[in-house]
Amino acid sequence: MKKWILTVSILLLALFLSACGNDSAEEESSTTGDTQEPFTIGVIPAQTEGEMQTAMDKLQTILAEELDREVEIEVYPDYNGVVESMNYDQIDMAYLGPLTYVIAEANSNAKAIITQLVDGEPFYNAYIITHTDNPVASLDELLENPGEVQFAFGDPNSTSGSLIPSIELQDRGVYESEQENEFETVRFTGSHDATALAVQNKQVDAGAIDSAIYNQLLESGKIDEDQLKIIWESEPLFQYPWAVLESTDDETVAKLREAFLAIEDPEILDAFGATGFTEADNADYESIKQAAIKQGIIEE
């Protein structure tokens, strides 16, 4: 009997030690990064979400290979959602419009690291477009009778779809806000392609849009060049940044830059109306920052 009890005791001890060993191995695995959290990226809806998903899947694969870490990319339904996610450290990186970027930089010290190139240049413009059936040939002519104009902006937090055109219209004395303006109606469509289609389908008389996305929509045949014309364009604006949290280490930043600079896949580039990528930093967005301060969007 004593011999049997001793044997059982030895077996129980062995099982206990084995369990302890497994716990230690799991703890070690956790501390060595085997269970490292995914690197998360939020993307503003430059176009409608469905149009971007395949490109984002490809980009996700490229970045995961470069970082040697799982990467998750989510296209958000609106600009503000991306900013809020970055402010509360819910994502590690974001693709933002210049305005949403300077808001994120002001609120959470986000750092711009990459931007896109269009025809080899890191610049774009804000356009105001109208239907070719509209007899006006310029913004001056459009604003001769603002009370007869139905105007469309994109997302309220868009640089080219809202901020810069609204400042121009404000300077011309016809616009202060969605509620206070001289137009017949003002609406926010939520995205650049929705604005272009609203103008093309004569749901509105004129709208503000990103020049790069406008040209991309023309090239892809999603809008008809024969039905649209540009009646105003802004000074050049620095392109949309990819920004990381202030806490992001230098090695990760270097790997991200290397991955983006090497991208040649046309499907990924087309999703952003880009021909390539180049490095960016906070100083590139100073003019947008000053415009946001002027409008009271951020504090100086």
Side-chain angles (χ1 to χ4, degrees):
M1 175 66 73
K2 288 181 181 180
K3 190 171 182 180
W4 179 81
I5 292 173
L6 180 61
T7 301
V8 171
S9 298
I10 291 171
L11 287 172
L12 290 172
L13 179 60
L15 288 171
F16 174 76
L17 291 174
S18 175
C20 288
N22 287 339
D23 289 343
S24 297
E26 287 175 5
E27 287 182 16
E28 184 179 349
S29 172
S30 173
T31 58
T32 55
D34 289 347
T35 57
Q36 192 174 21
E37 290 293 316
F39 187 83
T40 54
I41 302 173
V43 174
I44 61 169
Q47 296 189 59
T48 51
E49 186 173 347
E51 299 289 343
M52 298 184 71
Q53 195 56 56
T54 302
M56 294 307 94
D57 290 343
K58 286 187 171 184
L59 179 60
Q60 187 170 281
T61 299
I62 289 172
L63 296 181
E65 290 175 356
E66 184 66 33
L67 296 177
D68 192 23
R69 177 179 176 182
E70 184 181 354
V71 171
E72 295 178 354
I73 299 179
E74 179 181 355
V75 179
Y76 280 62
D78 58 56
Y79 285 48
N80 192 58
V82 180
V83 175
E84 289 301 305
S85 292
M86 179 156 268
N87 288 346
Y88 290 100
D89 292 355
Q90 294 173 344
I91 54 176
D92 300 298
M93 185 178 188
Y95 173 67
L96 303 148
L99 173 58
T100 40
Y101 166 67
V102 299
I103 294 171
E105 193 269 335
N107 292 339
S108 59
N109 295 320
K111 299 190 300 183
I113 63 168
I114 283 288
T115 193
Q116 59 210 41
L117 294 169
V118 177
D119 296 327
E121 297 291 338
F123 301 104
Y124 73 113
N125 305 86
Y127 283 166
I128 292 177
I129 60 174
T130 189
H131 199 282
T132 51
D133 288 347
N134 193 329
V136 305
S138 67
L139 184 57
D140 286 335
E141 291 182 16
L142 180 77
L143 299 181
E144 285 178 2
N145 297 295
E148 298 177 2
V149 175
Q150 297 177 325
F151 197 90
F153 294 103
D155 188 285
N157 291 312
S158 169
T159 309
S160 55
S162 180
L163 175 66
I164 300 302
S166 70
I167 290 176
E168 180 68 22
L169 295 172
Q170 185 180 72
D171 289 346
R172 291 170 180 256
V174 297
Y175 183 83
E176 288 296 327
S177 67
E178 185 177 3
Q179 293 74 34
E180 186 180 349
N181 59 78
E182 301 297 321
F183 293 115
E184 180 181 344
T185 61
V186 169
R187 62 184 284 192
F188 286 84
T189 67
S191 67
H192 297 288
D193 54 343
T195 298
L197 289 171
V199 175
Q200 178 171 295
N201 295 330
K202 298 184 180 181
Q203 296 168 340
V204 295
D205 299 301
I209 190 171
D210 174 317
S211 64
I213 294 176
Y214 176 76
N215 291 330
Q216 179 196 7
L217 292 170
L218 288 176
E219 290 170 7
S220 66
K222 293 173 184 173
I223 57 176
D224 185 353
E225 185 173 16
D226 293 334
Q227 297 189 58
L228 297 166
K229 61 183 176 181
I230 302 159
I231 57 172
W232 177 83
E233 70 176 77
S234 71
E235 295 295 318
L237 308 168
F238 208 77
Q239 276 286 358
Y240 295 37
W242 294 79
V244 295
L245 296 174
E246 183 183 28
S247 58
T248 308
D249 62 274
D250 292 343
E251 182 181 358
T252 298
V253 169
K255 287 181 177 180
L256 288 166
R257 279 178 164 158
E258 184 177 350
F260 273 97
L261 294 175
I263 290 174
E264 296 181 346
D265 188 308
E267 192 158 21
I268 296 174
L269 296 174
D270 287 349
F272 304 103
T275 53
F277 292 95
T278 189
E279 293 187 15
D281 60 36
N282 291 7
D284 294 319
Y285 300 93
E286 184 62 26
S287 65
I288 303 300
K289 181 177 180 180
Q290 293 306 315
I293 291 171
K294 176 182 178 181
Q295 295 300 94
I297 297 170
I298 59 174
E299 295 182 3
E300 192 165 5

